[in-house]
PDB file of all heavy atoms in Angstrom:
ATOM      1  N   ARG A   1     116.063  76.178-182.618  1.00  0.00           N
ATOM      2  CA  ARG A   1     117.381  76.572-182.633  1.00  0.00           C
ATOM      3  C   ARG A   1     117.600  77.966-181.851  1.00  0.00           C
ATOM      4  O   ARG A   1     116.612  78.631-181.544  1.00  0.00           O
ATOM      5  CB  ARG A   1     117.850  76.704-184.142  1.00  0.00           C
ATOM      6  CG  ARG A   1     117.113  77.645-185.012  1.00  0.00           C
ATOM      7  CD  ARG A   1     117.375  77.301-186.462  1.00  0.00           C
ATOM      8  NE  ARG A   1     118.665  77.262-186.743  1.00  0.00           N
ATOM      9  CZ  ARG A   1     119.263  77.387-188.057  1.00  0.00           C
ATOM     10  NH1 ARG A   1     118.500  77.440-189.008  1.00  0.00           N
ATOM     11  NH2 ARG A   1     120.555  77.197-188.182  1.00  0.00           N
ATOM     12  N   ARG A   2     118.815  78.251-181.684  1.00  0.00           N
ATOM     13  CA  ARG A   2     119.144  79.479-180.907  1.00  0.00           C
ATOM     14  C   ARG A   2     120.248  80.232-181.565  1.00  0.00           C
ATOM     15  O   ARG A   2     121.326  79.712-182.084  1.00  0.00           O
ATOM     16  CB  ARG A   2     119.672  79.008-179.510  1.00  0.00           C
ATOM     17  CG  ARG A   2     119.882  80.107-178.502  1.00  0.00           C
ATOM     18  CD  ARG A   2     120.065  79.499-177.072  1.00  0.00           C
ATOM     19  NE  ARG A   2     120.337  80.531-176.099  1.00  0.00           N
ATOM     20  CZ  ARG A   2     120.374  80.261-174.731  1.00  0.00           C
ATOM     21  NH1 ARG A   2     120.076  79.075-174.375  1.00  0.00           N
ATOM     22  NH2 ARG A   2     120.617  81.308-173.875  1.00  0.00           N
ATOM     23  N   ARG A   3     119.960  81.519-181.748  1.00  0.00           N
ATOM     24  CA  ARG A   3     120.981  82.391-182.562  1.00  0.00           C
ATOM     25  C   ARG A   3     122.326  82.549-181.722  1.00  0.00           C
ATOM     26  O   ARG A   3     123.363  82.482-182.373  1.00  0.00           O
ATOM     27  CB  ARG A   3     120.372  83.759-182.789  1.00  0.00           C
ATOM     28  CG  ARG A   3     119.259  83.799-183.779  1.00  0.00           C
ATOM     29  CD  ARG A   3     118.817  85.166-184.195  1.00  0.00           C
ATOM     30  NE  ARG A   3     117.709  85.095-185.153  1.00  0.00           N
ATOM     31  CZ  ARG A   3     116.491  85.262-184.755  1.00  0.00           C
ATOM     32  NH1 ARG A   3     116.079  85.246-183.451  1.00  0.00           N
ATOM     33  NH2 ARG A   3     115.445  85.175-185.740  1.00  0.00           N
ATOM     34  N   ASN A   4     122.237  82.905-180.472  1.00  0.00           N
ATOM     35  CA  ASN A   4     123.487  83.173-179.694  1.00  0.00           C
ATOM     36  C   ASN A   4     124.108  81.807-179.235  1.00  0.00           C
ATOM     37  O   ASN A   4     123.737  81.348-178.179  1.00  0.00           O
ATOM     38  CB  ASN A   4     123.103  84.174-178.585  1.00  0.00           C
ATOM     39  CG  ASN A   4     124.430  84.898-178.114  1.00  0.00           C
ATOM     40  OD1 ASN A   4     125.440  84.170-177.864  1.00  0.00           O
ATOM     41  ND2 ASN A   4     124.279  86.136-177.697  1.00  0.00           N
ATOM     42  N   LYS A   5     125.052  81.443-179.960  1.00  0.00           N
ATOM     43  CA  LYS A   5     125.654  80.170-179.598  1.00  0.00           C
ATOM     44  C   LYS A   5     126.605  80.337-178.435  1.00  0.00           C
ATOM     45  O   LYS A   5     126.899  79.306-177.759  1.00  0.00           O
ATOM     46  CB  LYS A   5     126.397  79.602-180.910  1.00  0.00           C
ATOM     47  CG  LYS A   5     125.489  78.998-181.968  1.00  0.00           C
ATOM     48  CD  LYS A   5     124.884  77.701-181.421  1.00  0.00           C
ATOM     49  CE  LYS A   5     123.862  77.139-182.402  1.00  0.00           C
ATOM     50  NZ  LYS A   5     122.649  77.841-182.556  1.00  0.00           N
ATOM     51  N   ILE A   6     127.085  81.468-178.125  1.00  0.00           N
ATOM     52  CA  ILE A   6     127.975  81.705-177.025  1.00  0.00           C
ATOM     53  C   ILE A   6     127.226  81.401-175.756  1.00  0.00           C
ATOM     54  O   ILE A   6     127.495  80.694-174.784  1.00  0.00           O
ATOM     55  CB  ILE A   6     128.704  83.065-176.945  1.00  0.00           C
ATOM     56  CG1 ILE A   6     129.410  83.227-178.218  1.00  0.00           C
ATOM     57  CG2 ILE A   6     129.516  83.179-175.699  1.00  0.00           C
ATOM     58  CD1 ILE A   6     129.926  84.714-178.347  1.00  0.00           C
ATOM     59  N   LYS A   7     126.024  82.076-175.576  1.00  0.00           N
ATOM     60  CA  LYS A   7     125.035  81.889-174.557  1.00  0.00           C
ATOM     61  C   LYS A   7     124.568  80.462-174.443  1.00  0.00           C
ATOM     62  O   LYS A   7     124.404  79.983-173.277  1.00  0.00           O
ATOM     63  CB  LYS A   7     123.930  82.924-174.622  1.00  0.00           C
ATOM     64  CG  LYS A   7     124.351  84.343-174.401  1.00  0.00           C
ATOM     65  CD  LYS A   7     123.145  85.247-174.288  1.00  0.00           C
ATOM     66  CE  LYS A   7     123.538  86.720-174.081  1.00  0.00           C
ATOM     67  NZ  LYS A   7     122.440  87.618-173.922  1.00  0.00           N
ATOM     68  N   GLN A   8     124.268  79.839-175.536  1.00  0.00           N
ATOM     69  CA  GLN A   8     123.819  78.407-175.531  1.00  0.00           C
ATOM     70  C   GLN A   8     124.992  77.613-174.999  1.00  0.00           C
ATOM     71  O   GLN A   8     124.569  76.598-174.228  1.00  0.00           O
ATOM     72  CB  GLN A   8     123.516  78.017-176.916  1.00  0.00           C
ATOM     73  CG  GLN A   8     122.845  76.604-177.079  1.00  0.00           C
ATOM     74  CD  GLN A   8     122.435  76.285-178.498  1.00  0.00           C
ATOM     75  OE1 GLN A   8     122.658  77.096-179.333  1.00  0.00           O
ATOM     76  NE2 GLN A   8     121.967  75.126-178.627  1.00  0.00           N
ATOM     77  N   ALA A   9     126.214  77.858-175.365  1.00  0.00           N
ATOM     78  CA  ALA A   9     127.402  76.999-174.899  1.00  0.00           C
ATOM     79  C   ALA A   9     127.565  77.222-173.358  1.00  0.00           C
ATOM     80  O   ALA A   9     127.768  76.360-172.564  1.00  0.00           O
ATOM     81  CB  ALA A   9     128.610  77.351-175.617  1.00  0.00           C
ATOM     82  N   ILE A  10     127.492  78.456-172.951  1.00  0.00           N
ATOM     83  CA  ILE A  10     127.596  78.703-171.629  1.00  0.00           C
ATOM     84  C   ILE A  10     126.418  78.053-170.745  1.00  0.00           C
ATOM     85  O   ILE A  10     126.674  77.481-169.674  1.00  0.00           O
ATOM     86  CB  ILE A  10     127.451  80.288-171.290  1.00  0.00           C
ATOM     87  CG1 ILE A  10     128.701  81.073-171.799  1.00  0.00           C
ATOM     88  CG2 ILE A  10     127.225  80.607-169.766  1.00  0.00           C
ATOM     89  CD1 ILE A  10     128.709  82.413-171.758  1.00  0.00           C
ATOM     90  N   SER A  11     125.271  77.975-171.203  1.00  0.00           N
ATOM     91  CA  SER A  11     124.121  77.236-170.511  1.00  0.00           C
ATOM     92  C   SER A  11     124.489  75.806-170.368  1.00  0.00           C
ATOM     93  O   SER A  11     124.318  75.263-169.288  1.00  0.00           O
ATOM     94  CB  SER A  11     122.851  77.520-171.315  1.00  0.00           C
ATOM     95  OG  SER A  11     121.821  76.829-170.711  1.00  0.00           O
ATOM     96  N   ILE A  12     125.026  75.172-171.304  1.00  0.00           N
ATOM     97  CA  ILE A  12     125.262  73.636-171.144  1.00  0.00           C
ATOM     98  C   ILE A  12     126.429  73.542-170.277  1.00  0.00           C
ATOM     99  O   ILE A  12     126.454  72.530-169.572  1.00  0.00           O
ATOM    100  CB  ILE A  12     125.432  72.986-172.647  1.00  0.00           C
ATOM    101  CG1 ILE A  12     125.503  71.474-172.466  1.00  0.00           C
ATOM    102  CG2 ILE A  12     126.841  73.530-173.194  1.00  0.00           C
ATOM    103  CD1 ILE A  12     124.245  70.911-172.102  1.00  0.00           C
ATOM    104  N   VAL A  13     127.456  74.384-170.267  1.00  0.00           N
ATOM    105  CA  VAL A  13     128.561  74.214-169.326  1.00  0.00           C
ATOM    106  C   VAL A  13     128.141  74.265-168.024  1.00  0.00           C
ATOM    107  O   VAL A  13     128.466  73.479-167.079  1.00  0.00           O
ATOM    108  CB  VAL A  13     129.726  75.228-169.798  1.00  0.00           C
ATOM    109  CG1 VAL A  13     130.834  75.252-168.658  1.00  0.00           C
ATOM    110  CG2 VAL A  13     130.292  74.845-171.140  1.00  0.00           C
ATOM    111  N   LYS A  14     127.281  75.346-167.659  1.00  0.00           N
ATOM    112  CA  LYS A  14     126.805  75.491-166.294  1.00  0.00           C
ATOM    113  C   LYS A  14     125.975  74.201-165.982  1.00  0.00           C
ATOM    114  O   LYS A  14     126.076  73.735-164.774  1.00  0.00           O
ATOM    115  CB  LYS A  14     125.949  76.705-166.202  1.00  0.00           C
ATOM    116  CG  LYS A  14     126.736  78.008-166.021  1.00  0.00           C
ATOM    117  CD  LYS A  14     125.899  79.216-165.630  1.00  0.00           C
ATOM    118  CE  LYS A  14     125.255  78.903-164.254  1.00  0.00           C
ATOM    119  NZ  LYS A  14     124.217  79.971-164.078  1.00  0.00           N
ATOM    120  N   ALA A  15     125.075  73.795-166.872  1.00  0.00           N
ATOM    121  CA  ALA A  15     124.184  72.655-166.493  1.00  0.00           C
ATOM    122  C   ALA A  15     125.148  71.429-166.290  1.00  0.00           C
ATOM    123  O   ALA A  15     124.826  70.577-165.275  1.00  0.00           O
ATOM    124  CB  ALA A  15     123.296  72.428-167.719  1.00  0.00           C
ATOM    125  N   LEU A  16     126.197  71.242-167.058  1.00  0.00           N
ATOM    126  CA  LEU A  16     127.044  70.062-166.821  1.00  0.00           C
ATOM    127  C   LEU A  16     127.681  70.086-165.436  1.00  0.00           C
ATOM    128  O   LEU A  16     127.920  69.134-164.787  1.00  0.00           O
ATOM    129  CB  LEU A  16     127.986  69.876-167.959  1.00  0.00           C
ATOM    130  CG  LEU A  16     127.362  69.398-169.271  1.00  0.00           C
ATOM    131  CD1 LEU A  16     128.413  69.696-170.463  1.00  0.00           C
ATOM    132  CD2 LEU A  16     126.866  67.985-169.285  1.00  0.00           C
ATOM    133  N   GLN A  17     128.199  71.370-165.148  1.00  0.00           N
ATOM    134  CA  GLN A  17     128.907  71.441-163.808  1.00  0.00           C
ATOM    135  C   GLN A  17     128.030  71.175-162.670  1.00  0.00           C
ATOM    136  O   GLN A  17     128.551  70.655-161.656  1.00  0.00           O
ATOM    137  CB  GLN A  17     129.543  72.891-163.827  1.00  0.00           C
ATOM    138  CG  GLN A  17     130.802  73.033-164.719  1.00  0.00           C
ATOM    139  CD  GLN A  17     131.537  74.324-164.481  1.00  0.00           C
ATOM    140  OE1 GLN A  17     131.349  75.110-163.532  1.00  0.00           O
ATOM    141  NE2 GLN A  17     132.364  74.657-165.382  1.00  0.00           N
ATOM    142  N   SER A  18     126.782  71.515-162.709  1.00  0.00           N
ATOM    143  CA  SER A  18     125.913  71.412-161.553  1.00  0.00           C
ATOM    144  C   SER A  18     125.069  70.179-161.665  1.00  0.00           C
ATOM    145  O   SER A  18     124.291  69.804-160.806  1.00  0.00           O
ATOM    146  CB  SER A  18     124.985  72.566-161.375  1.00  0.00           C
ATOM    147  OG  SER A  18     124.234  72.753-162.590  1.00  0.00           O
ATOM    148  N   ASN A  19     125.129  69.509-162.970  1.00  0.00           N
ATOM    149  CA  ASN A  19     124.200  68.353-163.197  1.00  0.00           C
ATOM    150  C   ASN A  19     122.736  68.668-163.017  1.00  0.00           C
ATOM    151  O   ASN A  19     121.876  67.948-162.544  1.00  0.00           O
ATOM    152  CB  ASN A  19     124.622  67.146-162.315  1.00  0.00           C
ATOM    153  CG  ASN A  19     124.001  65.829-162.850  1.00  0.00           C
ATOM    154  OD1 ASN A  19     123.752  65.692-164.122  1.00  0.00           O
ATOM    155  ND2 ASN A  19     123.688  64.979-162.045  1.00  0.00           N
ATOM    156  N   THR A  20     122.401  69.997-163.463  1.00  0.00           N
ATOM    157  CA  THR A  20     120.985  70.426-163.335  1.00  0.00           C
ATOM    158  C   THR A  20     120.531  70.957-164.760  1.00  0.00           C
ATOM    159  O   THR A  20     121.166  71.965-165.158  1.00  0.00           O
ATOM    160  CB  THR A  20     120.980  71.537-162.319  1.00  0.00           C
ATOM    161  OG1 THR A  20     121.418  71.037-161.042  1.00  0.00           O
ATOM    162  CG2 THR A  20     119.397  72.046-162.234  1.00  0.00           C
ATOM    163  N   PHE A  21     119.679  70.290-165.340  1.00  0.00           N
ATOM    164  CA  PHE A  21     119.229  70.618-166.730  1.00  0.00           C
ATOM    165  C   PHE A  21     117.818  71.252-166.855  1.00  0.00           C
ATOM    166  O   PHE A  21     117.441  71.760-167.893  1.00  0.00           O
ATOM    167  CB  PHE A  21     119.470  69.438-167.728  1.00  0.00           C
ATOM    168  CG  PHE A  21     120.771  68.920-167.843  1.00  0.00           C
ATOM    169  CD1 PHE A  21     121.407  68.030-166.946  1.00  0.00           C
ATOM    170  CD2 PHE A  21     121.596  69.371-168.814  1.00  0.00           C
ATOM    171  CE1 PHE A  21     122.665  67.557-166.936  1.00  0.00           C
ATOM    172  CE2 PHE A  21     122.904  68.931-168.862  1.00  0.00           C
ATOM    173  CZ  PHE A  21     123.467  68.119-168.008  1.00  0.00           C
ATOM    174  N   LEU A  22     117.083  71.207-165.655  1.00  0.00           N
ATOM    175  CA  LEU A  22     115.661  71.656-165.653  1.00  0.00           C
ATOM    176  C   LEU A  22     115.517  72.123-164.277  1.00  0.00           C
ATOM    177  O   LEU A  22     115.740  71.327-163.252  1.00  0.00           O
ATOM    178  CB  LEU A  22     114.793  70.485-166.090  1.00  0.00           C
ATOM    179  CG  LEU A  22     113.216  70.820-166.007  1.00  0.00           C
ATOM    180  CD1 LEU A  22     112.828  71.925-166.947  1.00  0.00           C
ATOM    181  CD2 LEU A  22     112.445  69.593-166.168  1.00  0.00           C
ATOM    182  N   VAL A  23     115.070  73.266-164.085  1.00  0.00           N
ATOM    183  CA  VAL A  23     114.577  73.861-162.822  1.00  0.00           C
ATOM    184  C   VAL A  23     113.162  74.402-162.966  1.00  0.00           C
ATOM    185  O   VAL A  23     112.887  75.074-163.837  1.00  0.00           O
ATOM    186  CB  VAL A  23     115.554  74.964-162.399  1.00  0.00           C
ATOM    187  CG1 VAL A  23     115.182  75.540-161.061  1.00  0.00           C
ATOM    188  CG2 VAL A  23     117.077  74.393-162.179  1.00  0.00           C
ATOM    189  N   THR A  24     112.385  74.134-161.967  1.00  0.00           N
ATOM    190  CA  THR A  24     110.890  74.525-162.087  1.00  0.00           C
ATOM    191  C   THR A  24     110.551  75.707-161.211  1.00  0.00           C
ATOM    192  O   THR A  24     109.456  76.226-161.223  1.00  0.00           O
ATOM    193  CB  THR A  24     110.039  73.331-161.615  1.00  0.00           C
ATOM    194  OG1 THR A  24     110.381  72.838-160.338  1.00  0.00           O
ATOM    195  CG2 THR A  24     110.186  72.099-162.628  1.00  0.00           C
ATOM    196  N   SER A  25     111.565  76.244-160.418  1.00  0.00           N
ATOM    197  CA  SER A  25     111.293  77.449-159.697  1.00  0.00           C
ATOM    198  C   SER A  25     112.435  78.377-159.561  1.00  0.00           C
ATOM    199  O   SER A  25     113.557  77.996-159.601  1.00  0.00           O
ATOM    200  CB  SER A  25     110.807  77.033-158.192  1.00  0.00           C
ATOM    201  OG  SER A  25     111.862  76.653-157.475  1.00  0.00           O
ATOM    202  N   LYS A  26     112.249  79.570-159.432  1.00  0.00           N
ATOM    203  CA  LYS A  26     113.307  80.555-159.386  1.00  0.00           C
ATOM    204  C   LYS A  26     114.163  80.439-158.067  1.00  0.00           C
ATOM    205  O   LYS A  26     115.289  80.688-158.017  1.00  0.00           O
ATOM    206  CB  LYS A  26     112.688  82.028-159.514  1.00  0.00           C
ATOM    207  CG  LYS A  26     112.145  82.254-160.858  1.00  0.00           C
ATOM    208  CD  LYS A  26     111.638  83.752-160.960  1.00  0.00           C
ATOM    209  CE  LYS A  26     111.189  84.020-162.383  1.00  0.00           C
ATOM    210  NZ  LYS A  26     110.622  85.459-162.538  1.00  0.00           N
ATOM    211  N   ALA A  27     113.384  80.035-157.110  1.00  0.00           N
ATOM    212  CA  ALA A  27     114.015  79.807-155.680  1.00  0.00           C
ATOM    213  C   ALA A  27     115.098  78.700-155.895  1.00  0.00           C
ATOM    214  O   ALA A  27     116.281  78.862-155.271  1.00  0.00           O
ATOM    215  CB  ALA A  27     112.981  79.443-154.660  1.00  0.00           C
ATOM    216  N   LYS A  28     114.827  77.676-156.592  1.00  0.00           N
ATOM    217  CA  LYS A  28     115.848  76.619-156.820  1.00  0.00           C
ATOM    218  C   LYS A  28     117.054  77.081-157.587  1.00  0.00           C
ATOM    219  O   LYS A  28     118.175  76.547-157.335  1.00  0.00           O
ATOM    220  CB  LYS A  28     115.182  75.320-157.420  1.00  0.00           C
ATOM    221  CG  LYS A  28     114.172  74.668-156.559  1.00  0.00           C
ATOM    222  CD  LYS A  28     113.711  73.386-157.221  1.00  0.00           C
ATOM    223  CE  LYS A  28     112.775  72.689-156.303  1.00  0.00           C
ATOM    224  NZ  LYS A  28     112.206  71.439-157.026  1.00  0.00           N
ATOM    225  N   ILE A  29     116.779  78.058-158.540  1.00  0.00           N
ATOM    226  CA  ILE A  29     117.920  78.495-159.212  1.00  0.00           C
ATOM    227  C   ILE A  29     118.825  79.280-158.378  1.00  0.00           C
ATOM    228  O   ILE A  29     120.060  79.093-158.425  1.00  0.00           O
ATOM    229  CB  ILE A  29     117.451  79.537-160.487  1.00  0.00           C
ATOM    230  CG1 ILE A  29     116.657  78.673-161.494  1.00  0.00           C
ATOM    231  CG2 ILE A  29     118.550  80.130-161.179  1.00  0.00           C
ATOM    232  CD1 ILE A  29     115.973  79.381-162.556  1.00  0.00           C
ATOM    233  N   ALA A  30     118.321  80.168-157.451  1.00  0.00           N
ATOM    234  CA  ALA A  30     119.096  80.884-156.517  1.00  0.00           C
ATOM    235  C   ALA A  30     119.888  79.956-155.577  1.00  0.00           C
ATOM    236  O   ALA A  30     120.939  80.157-155.295  1.00  0.00           O
ATOM    237  CB  ALA A  30     118.201  81.784-155.759  1.00  0.00           C
ATOM    238  N   GLN A  31     119.216  78.831-155.160  1.00  0.00           N
ATOM    239  CA  GLN A  31     119.805  77.879-154.184  1.00  0.00           C
ATOM    240  C   GLN A  31     121.000  77.224-154.943  1.00  0.00           C
ATOM    241  O   GLN A  31     122.028  76.991-154.336  1.00  0.00           O
ATOM    242  CB  GLN A  31     118.773  76.923-153.790  1.00  0.00           C
ATOM    243  CG  GLN A  31     119.277  75.906-152.904  1.00  0.00           C
ATOM    244  CD  GLN A  31     118.203  74.895-152.459  1.00  0.00           C
ATOM    245  OE1 GLN A  31     117.117  74.886-152.925  1.00  0.00           O
ATOM    246  NE2 GLN A  31     118.614  73.978-151.558  1.00  0.00           N
ATOM    247  N   GLN A  32     120.788  76.897-156.160  1.00  0.00           N
ATOM    248  CA  GLN A  32     121.788  76.196-156.949  1.00  0.00           C
ATOM    249  C   GLN A  32     123.008  77.064-157.025  1.00  0.00           C
ATOM    250  O   GLN A  32     124.248  76.501-156.919  1.00  0.00           O
ATOM    251  CB  GLN A  32     121.218  76.013-158.411  1.00  0.00           C
ATOM    252  CG  GLN A  32     122.321  75.395-159.410  1.00  0.00           C
ATOM    253  CD  GLN A  32     121.692  75.350-160.767  1.00  0.00           C
ATOM    254  OE1 GLN A  32     120.793  74.533-160.964  1.00  0.00           O
ATOM    255  NE2 GLN A  32     122.325  76.107-161.662  1.00  0.00           N
ATOM    256  N   ASP A  33     122.881  78.359-157.315  1.00  0.00           N
ATOM    257  CA  ASP A  33     124.154  79.265-157.356  1.00  0.00           C
ATOM    258  C   ASP A  33     124.792  79.364-156.087  1.00  0.00           C
ATOM    259  O   ASP A  33     125.999  79.638-155.981  1.00  0.00           O
ATOM    260  CB  ASP A  33     123.672  80.551-157.887  1.00  0.00           C
ATOM    261  CG  ASP A  33     124.006  80.777-159.418  1.00  0.00           C
ATOM    262  OD1 ASP A  33     123.945  79.771-160.146  1.00  0.00           O
ATOM    263  OD2 ASP A  33     124.088  81.927-159.867  1.00  0.00           O
ATOM    264  N   GLN A  34     124.025  79.379-154.906  1.00  0.00           N
ATOM    265  CA  GLN A  34     124.634  79.389-153.625  1.00  0.00           C
ATOM    266  C   GLN A  34     125.425  78.175-153.299  1.00  0.00           C
ATOM    267  O   GLN A  34     126.370  78.127-152.580  1.00  0.00           O
ATOM    268  CB  GLN A  34     123.587  79.675-152.596  1.00  0.00           C
ATOM    269  CG  GLN A  34     122.947  81.112-152.650  1.00  0.00           C
ATOM    270  CD  GLN A  34     121.742  81.165-151.800  1.00  0.00           C
ATOM    271  OE1 GLN A  34     121.319  80.278-151.009  1.00  0.00           O
ATOM    272  NE2 GLN A  34     121.103  82.347-151.802  1.00  0.00           N
ATOM    273  N   GLU A  35     124.863  76.982-153.684  1.00  0.00           N
ATOM    274  CA  GLU A  35     125.408  75.710-153.330  1.00  0.00           C
ATOM    275  C   GLU A  35     126.568  75.173-154.215  1.00  0.00           C
ATOM    276  O   GLU A  35     127.366  74.399-153.795  1.00  0.00           O
ATOM    277  CB  GLU A  35     124.260  74.625-153.241  1.00  0.00           C
ATOM    278  CG  GLU A  35     123.287  74.850-152.175  1.00  0.00           C
ATOM    279  CD  GLU A  35     122.225  73.897-152.141  1.00  0.00           C
ATOM    280  OE1 GLU A  35     122.128  73.096-153.092  1.00  0.00           O
ATOM    281  OE2 GLU A  35     121.367  73.933-151.157  1.00  0.00           O
ATOM    282  N   HIS A  36     126.560  75.621-155.523  1.00  0.00           N
ATOM    283  CA  HIS A  36     127.519  75.131-156.441  1.00  0.00           C
ATOM    284  C   HIS A  36     128.456  76.270-156.859  1.00  0.00           C
ATOM    285  O   HIS A  36     128.016  77.300-157.334  1.00  0.00           O
ATOM    286  CB  HIS A  36     126.859  74.542-157.615  1.00  0.00           C
ATOM    287  CG  HIS A  36     127.761  73.871-158.522  1.00  0.00           C
ATOM    288  ND1 HIS A  36     128.172  72.520-158.363  1.00  0.00           N
ATOM    289  CD2 HIS A  36     128.421  74.202-159.708  1.00  0.00           C
ATOM    290  CE1 HIS A  36     128.958  72.208-159.343  1.00  0.00           C
ATOM    291  NE2 HIS A  36     129.220  73.246-160.068  1.00  0.00           N
ATOM    292  N   LYS A  37     129.708  75.946-156.849  1.00  0.00           N
ATOM    293  CA  LYS A  37     130.761  76.908-157.329  1.00  0.00           C
ATOM    294  C   LYS A  37     131.049  76.631-158.859  1.00  0.00           C
ATOM    295  O   LYS A  37     131.675  75.677-159.140  1.00  0.00           O
ATOM    296  CB  LYS A  37     132.075  76.828-156.607  1.00  0.00           C
ATOM    297  CG  LYS A  37     132.977  77.879-156.959  1.00  0.00           C
ATOM    298  CD  LYS A  37     134.356  77.796-156.030  1.00  0.00           C
ATOM    299  CE  LYS A  37     135.287  78.804-156.539  1.00  0.00           C
ATOM    300  NZ  LYS A  37     136.605  78.806-155.702  1.00  0.00           N
ATOM    301  N   PHE A  38     130.538  77.536-159.694  1.00  0.00           N
ATOM    302  CA  PHE A  38     130.815  77.418-161.100  1.00  0.00           C
ATOM    303  C   PHE A  38     132.118  77.949-161.535  1.00  0.00           C
ATOM    304  O   PHE A  38     132.637  78.858-160.958  1.00  0.00           O
ATOM    305  CB  PHE A  38     129.693  78.107-161.986  1.00  0.00           C
ATOM    306  CG  PHE A  38     128.278  77.484-161.887  1.00  0.00           C
ATOM    307  CD1 PHE A  38     127.323  78.150-160.964  1.00  0.00           C
ATOM    308  CD2 PHE A  38     128.013  76.445-162.491  1.00  0.00           C
ATOM    309  CE1 PHE A  38     126.086  77.613-160.857  1.00  0.00           C
ATOM    310  CE2 PHE A  38     126.768  75.884-162.337  1.00  0.00           C
ATOM    311  CZ  PHE A  38     125.766  76.508-161.529  1.00  0.00           C
ATOM    312  N   VAL A  39     132.772  77.220-162.450  1.00  0.00           N
ATOM    313  CA  VAL A  39     134.117  77.502-162.849  1.00  0.00           C
ATOM    314  C   VAL A  39     134.127  77.874-164.383  1.00  0.00           C
ATOM    315  O   VAL A  39     133.636  77.023-165.128  1.00  0.00           O
ATOM    316  CB  VAL A  39     135.038  76.366-162.597  1.00  0.00           C
ATOM    317  CG1 VAL A  39     136.483  76.776-163.154  1.00  0.00           C
ATOM    318  CG2 VAL A  39     135.063  76.095-161.111  1.00  0.00           C
ATOM    319  N   TYR A  40     134.493  79.073-164.667  1.00  0.00           N
ATOM    320  CA  TYR A  40     134.636  79.515-166.030  1.00  0.00           C
ATOM    321  C   TYR A  40     135.484  78.605-166.895  1.00  0.00           C
ATOM    322  O   TYR A  40     136.689  78.416-166.490  1.00  0.00           O
ATOM    323  CB  TYR A  40     134.983  80.957-166.204  1.00  0.00           C
ATOM    324  CG  TYR A  40     135.168  81.532-167.462  1.00  0.00           C
ATOM    325  CD1 TYR A  40     133.981  81.924-168.293  1.00  0.00           C
ATOM    326  CD2 TYR A  40     136.340  81.665-168.061  1.00  0.00           C
ATOM    327  CE1 TYR A  40     134.151  82.355-169.554  1.00  0.00           C
ATOM    328  CE2 TYR A  40     136.595  82.182-169.405  1.00  0.00           C
ATOM    329  CZ  TYR A  40     135.384  82.567-170.082  1.00  0.00           C
ATOM    330  OH  TYR A  40     135.579  83.066-171.436  1.00  0.00           O
TER     331      TYR A  40
END
């Protein structure tokens, strides 16, 4: 379980918007933010 439910919810919203639930390298995370426009 996770104590901070706000951060947990933010994590799933971002994952759903990019359809990315698992990333194995930091480079891919940076690339994902460049290629996908996240909407609050």
Side-chain angles (χ1 to χ4, degrees):
R1 56 197 312 193
R2 188 167 176 170
R3 290 189 180 92
N4 196 314
K5 286 291 179 286
I6 305 174
K7 290 186 176 182
Q8 187 177 358
I10 288 170
S11 180
I12 192 67
V13 170
K14 278 190 65 187
L16 289 168
Q17 287 188 13
S18 62
N19 195 32
T20 303
F21 297 87
L22 175 65
V23 179
T24 57
S25 74
K26 293 181 179 179
K28 288 184 178 180
I29 295 174
Q31 181 182 5
Q32 172 187 295
D33 261 27
Q34 292 172 359
E35 294 178 351
H36 187 87
K37 184 178 180 181
F38 291 103
V39 178
Y40 178 79

